[in-house]
Amino acid sequence: MSIFQSSTQAVPDQQDIPQHVAIIMDGNGRWAKKRFLPRVAGHQRGVESVRSIIKACVKRGVKYLTLFAFSSENWRRPQDEVSWLMQLFMKALEREVGKLHENGIRLKIIGDRSRFDAQLNALIDAAEARTSANTVLTLTIAANYGGRWDIVQAMNHLLKAQPQACSAGVDESALAPYLSMAYAPEPDLFIRTGGEQRISNFLLWQLAYTELYFTDTPWPDFDSRALDRAIHSYQKRERRFGRTSEQLQDNA
Ligand code: IPE
Ligand code: IPE
Ligand code: MG
């Protein structure tokens, strides 16, 4: 069983500052195009936004930040953009881990790692091991991640561990510990930058009761003020988890 409550089975604890923020960092390519720059220049600028949003989350007391860096569908992009993104990811890992560690940040990478080369996998293992005891913020990077992949891999692991589940069936709480974010509470706030209003196969299971926030701001322009606007919008929401508004007022 996960140590965290599932939003479909119990009403999770809520705070003013979202405990877990999950972001689809979109709009890098269009940001660059508008400036007559190559798409990769947008990805490069996107790394700056990652840095500033991590800092802002630490300052505001967010405990989990999850960033969608590369989806299982992004392999469909031109080969040179894919390899650029992989290089960027590797370089950022190499360069930033020390700083993350100094700031008490625990790093986790989720996604299907079987398509990464040995060097990248070794880098990920080392970065996760080095930062594993840190408690200020858990930063999760979703790389070659897909929400459907996650549910299927969880089911396959469960069946391996409990072959009898094949005939007996399973319930939500049996599957949950095998999901790739079992170490974190479900996201409170989801942000997608860049103007599109879709989930694009991100955390399908975990977003069951997450508050959704979409902004036209492209990721390279998303700064701490933009984050505050998203948090402010979150703070105005009434999270009912299936109950009525009257029930919430009665409990207040
Ligand atoms: C998001 O920006 C970054 C990744 C998907 C890696 P895009 O590259 O999707 O930017 P747009 O959507 O083309 O503007
Ligand atoms: C989603 O962005 C994935 C990441 C941000 C890593 P995309 O730009 O690839 O999403 P779609 O394909 O337009 O929905
Ligand atoms: Mg995009």
Side-chain angles (χ1 to χ4, degrees), residues 204-219:
L204 297 178
W205 177 287
Q206 297 85 345
L207 294 175
Y209 261 111
T210 302
E211 295 298 326
L212 307 180
Y213 178 86
F214 297 94
T215 172
D216 288 338
T217 305
W219 178 248

Side-chain angles (χ1 to χ4, degrees), residues 24-31 39 43 68-71 74 77 81 85 192 194 196 219:
I24 296 187
M25 310 182 286
D26 196 18
N28 294 351
R30 281 162 289 160
W31 179 92
R39 291 178 56 81
H43 298 318
F68 204 5
F70 192 89
S71 76
N74 285 145
R77 294 192 176 198
E81 183 170 342
L85 283 165
R192 182 174 187 143
E196 311 295 353
W219 178 248

